[in-house]
């Protein structure tokens, strides 16, 4: 347990957004994807996930780690409209309606609430994604539901200290999700196998260097110098500990940073691509569409609309 306490202490948690949604029309989203972790509580109606349409019961929660492709159905699973992730991102106001009244949280038909957040080890590595934790259901954790409701309420109100309260409550969510995994002995093999690399200081140095130099040279030769291992060995070393090769990890980090810039800045697509390490804008756009299922420009348009 001491190892997990050290990992939790090293986590940088960042609140992204919270929404209370009423489902307007049943919809199945194929290959739903986001870079952030999402915890959804079902208040009323139906939500299911996966190709087998595993049902989330009323009062239970669905946790989707950032970076995981998943099929999700909101509403009656017997008659949903099936759409791509891109179509949903662009037209989601046709399927979802956001509630802005705290009194209605948990009291509307066909509704759910969700909180999206980052959780990064040493502010570099996406914790849940790095452990290869799949989407899963959290059953009957009333205190966790209450925490989500508190975040939703704070986010809707304009009160002193709301940002601080939301930050504290989001950190509570992350800890409670980790506790639930450990208490119920979920994904034991993944945790044992994948958590070990957080103990390797050379790998942590590589993670930190990549984070600070996304727009620069991140070749295996450079990473080998950072870790003080040979260039021939660094790729094998990285994959042995993380399960992926370093260049795939670097591309994910670059694309994640690009999403952040699209959401928070007015920089051009060309400038964003260059900032995260892509000199060829057309190649950057192709890779972005391949990873997220939506063009970079439409991702920005999505964020400029009313955030449902």
């Amino acid at each position: 347990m001491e190892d997990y306490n050290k990992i939790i202490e090293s986590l940088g948690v960042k609140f992204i957004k919270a929404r209370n949604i009423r489902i307007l029309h049943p919809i199945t989203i194929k290959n739903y994807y986001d870079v952030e972790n999402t915890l959804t509580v079902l208040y009323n109606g139906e939500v299911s996930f996966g190709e087998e349409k595993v049902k989330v019961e009323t009062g239970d929660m669905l946790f989707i780690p950032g970076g995981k492709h998943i099929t999700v159905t909101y509403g009656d699973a017997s008659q949903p409209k099936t759409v791509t992730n891109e179509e949903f991102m662009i037209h989601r106001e046709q399927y979802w309606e956001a509630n802005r009244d705290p009194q209605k949280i948990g009291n509307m038909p066909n509704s759910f609430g969700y909180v999206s957040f980052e959780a990064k080890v040493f502010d570099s590595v996406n914790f849940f994604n790095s452990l290869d934790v799949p989407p899963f259901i959290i059953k009957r954790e009333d205190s966790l539901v209450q925490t989500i409701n508190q975040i939703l309420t704070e986010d809707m109100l304009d009160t002193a200290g709301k940002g601080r309260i939301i930050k504290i409550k989001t950190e509570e969510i992350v800890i409670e999700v980790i506790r639930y995994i450990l208490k119920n002995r979920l994904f034991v093999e993944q945790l044992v196998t994948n958590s070990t690399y957080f103990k390797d200081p050379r790998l942590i140095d590589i993670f930190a260097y990549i984070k600070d130099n996304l727009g620069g040279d991140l070749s295996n030769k450079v990473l080998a110098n950072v870790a003080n291992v040979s260039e021939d060995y660094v790729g094998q070393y990285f994959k042995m500990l993380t399960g992926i090769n370093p260049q795939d990890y670097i591309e994910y980090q670059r694309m994640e940073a690009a999403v952040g810039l699209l959401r928070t800045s007015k920089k051009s697509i060309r400038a964003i691509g260059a900032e995260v390490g892509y000199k060829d804008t057309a190649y950057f756009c192709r890779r972005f569409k391949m990873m997220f299922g939506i063009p970079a420009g439409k991702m920005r348009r999505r964020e400029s609309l009313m955030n449902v």
Side-chain angles (χ1 to χ4, degrees), residues 63-293:
F63 179 68
I64 304 177
K68 291 289 185 181
H69 287 274
I70 180 177
T71 296
V72 189
T73 298
Y74 298 97
D76 187 349
S78 67
Q79 51 180 355
K81 178 182 178 181
T82 300
V83 299
T84 64
N85 192 50
E86 179 178 353
E87 183 178 349
F88 170 71
M89 294 295 189
I90 297 170
H91 301 295
R92 56 183 172 175
E93 68 277 3
Q94 297 178 13
Y95 310 106
W96 287 4
E97 179 181 63
N99 166 46
R100 307 295 182 187
D101 182 355
Q103 299 299 320
K104 293 182 179 180
I105 295 173
N107 298 317
M108 298 184 300
N110 298 311
S111 67
F112 61 90
Y114 74 87
V115 177
S116 293
F117 55 89
E118 290 181 354
K120 292 186 174 181
V121 181
F122 303 108
D123 287 327
S124 301
V125 187
N126 288 302
F127 176 67
F128 295 104
N129 180 274
S130 68
L131 295 179
D132 198 27
V133 171
F136 67 96
I137 293 174
I138 297 177
K139 299 191 70 64
R140 297 298 173 183
E141 291 288 329
D142 293 340
S143 63
L144 190 49
V145 173
Q146 183 178 2
T147 303
I148 293 173
N149 292 346
Q150 289 172 333
I151 292 175
L152 288 168
T153 300
E154 289 287 340
D155 195 52
M156 291 178 187
L157 299 175
D158 186 18
T159 53
K162 63 178 283 185
R164 186 65 178 271
I165 293 293
I166 289 174
K167 180 179 185 296
I168 292 169
K169 295 296 180 183
T170 304
E171 290 178 343
E172 287 182 17
I173 282 179
V174 173
I175 293 171
E176 289 301 326
V177 170
I178 295 172
R179 284 180 174 179
Y180 185 88
I181 290 172
L182 296 175
K183 180 177 69 176
N184 292 279
R185 297 188 58 77
L186 303 177
F187 323 120
V188 173
E189 186 174 342
Q190 291 100 312
L191 293 178
V192 171
T193 301
N194 297 326
S195 64
T196 55
Y197 65 74
F198 292 128
K199 305 169 190 175
D200 192 314
R202 293 177 299 176
L203 193 61
I204 297 304
D205 287 344
I206 291 178
F207 288 146
Y209 186 86
I210 290 171
K211 175 178 179 290
D212 293 338
N213 296 276
L214 285 176
D217 181 3
L218 293 175
S219 63
N220 280 6
K221 180 179 181 179
V222 170
L223 299 183
N225 289 334
V226 171
N228 197 27
V229 297
S230 72
E231 182 180 353
D232 292 337
Y233 178 65
V234 70
Q236 178 185 342
Y237 161 76
F238 191 96
K239 187 168 184 177
M240 177 178 65
L241 292 177
T242 68
I244 60 174
N245 70 60
Q247 296 309 314
D248 286 344
Y249 173 80
I250 289 166
E251 179 165 55
Y252 177 81
Q253 295 301 311
R254 283 174 163 161
M255 289 300 178
E256 185 182 58
V259 170
L261 289 168
L262 286 166
R263 289 174 169 171
T264 60
S265 78
K266 295 182 179 180
K267 295 178 181 179
S268 68
I269 303 296
R270 179 186 298 275
I272 289 173
E275 187 168 332
V276 299
Y278 291 88
K279 296 179 181 178
D280 185 334
T281 304
Y283 179 72
F284 165 68
C285 290
R286 287 197 302 273
R287 297 301 299 172
F288 191 98
K289 172 75 181 294
M290 185 175 296
M291 180 168 289
F292 298 115

